[in-house]
Amino acid sequence: MAGKAGGGKLAGLVQGAVMAATLDDIYTEVRAMLLGLFSCEVVRGYGNNVPLPKPPFVVMNILNETAAATNEHAYAVADETAAVSRQSEIQMQLDFYGEEAGQMAQKTVLLWRDFYACERLKSCQPLYADPARFMPLTNEEGEYEERWMTTVHLAYAPQAEHPQQFVNAFDLTLTQP
């Protein structure tokens, strides 16, 4: 599910952690999957003072990340590192704009639980998608714009690697009182 943490010693790091797969990776992979399905722009989030593209287009927003398990630990004594991970669920809202928005949303919902999506997402895996719903938008000119939206749910295992000291040998002297 999640990518592996980078190998090798984290020489020179006193504090800090190296993240394996990130939320940026998830945005990149979901965007690539959507671009493979539709010939339109796929953008991340809404930006202030940034006009929306001309329809058709898709807007992606991560809404929430929920821990689905407690932390897991893996240790690499030779590399002097420890990796901490946990299973999480991410909810991502997808807004589809344009005349074909409804069909695009339905196609995404259908393929989200199919092997098609599983094969294209590497740092996360699809769980399920909420039904697509029609949510028209009134633009700055007071005109209605075609918008359909869905929330897709995916499994994600964030992993952080950090330096870890280990005891390899110690001297023990017992004294009797």
Side-chain angles (χ1 to χ4, degrees):
M1 283 216 253
K4 293 182 179 178
K9 277 191 174 183
L10 298 175
L13 286 180
V14 176
Q15 291 182 331
V18 176
M19 289 296 291
T22 65
L23 297 179
D24 287 338
D25 296 330
I26 292 173
Y27 274 117
T28 300
E29 290 180 13
V30 171
R31 181 177 187 271
M33 184 188 117
L34 293 171
L35 288 172
L37 292 173
F38 312 115
S39 56
C40 67
E41 283 196 64
V42 178
V43 297
R44 177 178 172 172
Y46 294 98
N48 288 325
N49 300 319
V50 177
L52 292 173
K54 289 187 177 192
F57 65 93
V58 182
V59 178
M60 308 176 297
N61 282 303
I62 290 180
L63 301 174
N64 191 25
E65 179 179 345
T66 306
T70 57
N71 288 358
E72 299 175 24
H73 299 84
Y75 302 99
V77 177
D79 292 336
E80 295 182 0
T81 61
V84 181
S85 64
R86 80 159 182 255
Q87 294 297 316
S88 298
E89 178 185 330
I90 289 181
Q91 298 172 5
M92 179 185 282
Q93 179 177 311
L94 300 176
D95 294 355
F96 300 86
Y97 290 84
E99 290 180 17
E100 304 295 320
Q103 292 175 357
M104 291 166 49
Q106 292 297 337
K107 187 175 187 178
T108 302
V109 168
L110 177 65
L111 292 177
W112 193 256
R113 290 190 71 171
D114 189 68
F115 70 89
Y116 178 87
C118 294
E119 290 176 339
R120 280 152 183 79
L121 302 174
K122 303 300 179 210
S123 61
C124 60
Q125 282 294 286
L127 294 172
Y128 63 96
D130 294 343
R133 40 196 199 281
F134 180 59
M135 305 288 291
L137 173 75
T138 307
N139 64 21
E140 62 278 354
E141 297 163 353
E143 302 274 328
Y144 285 107
E145 290 194 32
E146 186 94 5
R147 176 178 67 166
W148 283 75
M149 68 174 45
T150 185
T151 301
V152 295
H153 301 255
L154 49 95
Y156 166 61
Q159 181 177 356
E161 186 178 276
H162 62 84
Q164 178 71 48
Q165 293 181 341
F166 297 93
V167 175
N168 295 325
F170 59 91
D171 291 325
L172 179 66
T173 306
L174 295 176
T175 57
Q176 294 287 329

